[in-house]
Amino acid sequence: IGGSMNKRFYQLESQKQMDIINAGIEYFARFEYKKASTEDIAKSAGISKSLLFHYFKNKETYLRFYIIMQRN
């Protein structure tokens, strides 16, 4: 993912990382990609939308991060 993701995400406690990823999984599974609201994803993860975008450049980067995690 390169420069499109903030390395500070990895400095979070592992539980908080999983909260953020699991919120995305929930919304991407429930809604198609375009209809999955980053506002709702962030709220479900217990963070602000701006903090979500602090860790991930955009929604696509966020989804790609999850896909890469699943492959490893």
Side-chain angles (χ1 to χ4, degrees), residues 49-66:
K49 181 179 174 179
S50 62
L51 189 55
L52 179 65
F53 287 125
H54 175 73
Y55 295 128
F56 301 94
K57 182 178 179 179
N58 53 39
K59 185 165 64 169
E60 179 183 355
T61 301
Y62 179 58
L63 178 61
R64 289 171 65 204
F65 176 77
Y66 167 71

Side-chain angles (χ1 to χ4, degrees), residues 2-65:
S4 56
M5 185 187 158
N6 190 319
K7 302 292 185 207
R8 290 186 183 182
F9 178 80
Y10 293 110
Q11 295 172 350
L12 294 171
E13 294 180 16
S14 59
Q15 182 59 53
K16 187 47 123 178
Q17 289 179 21
M18 291 312 300
D19 291 347
I20 293 169
I21 297 304
N22 288 335
I25 293 167
E26 176 185 340
Y27 279 86
F28 290 133
R30 196 180 322 167
F31 305 101
E32 63 184 64
Y33 172 79
K34 288 184 179 183
K35 292 184 180 177
S37 162
T38 52
E39 183 77 38
D40 291 339
I41 291 169
K43 183 186 273 186
S44 179
I47 61 173
S48 67
K49 181 179 174 179
S50 62
L51 189 55
L52 179 65
F53 287 125
H54 175 73
Y55 295 128
F56 301 94
K57 182 178 179 179
N58 53 39
K59 185 165 64 169
E60 179 183 355
T61 301
Y62 179 58
L63 178 61
R64 289 171 65 204
F65 176 77

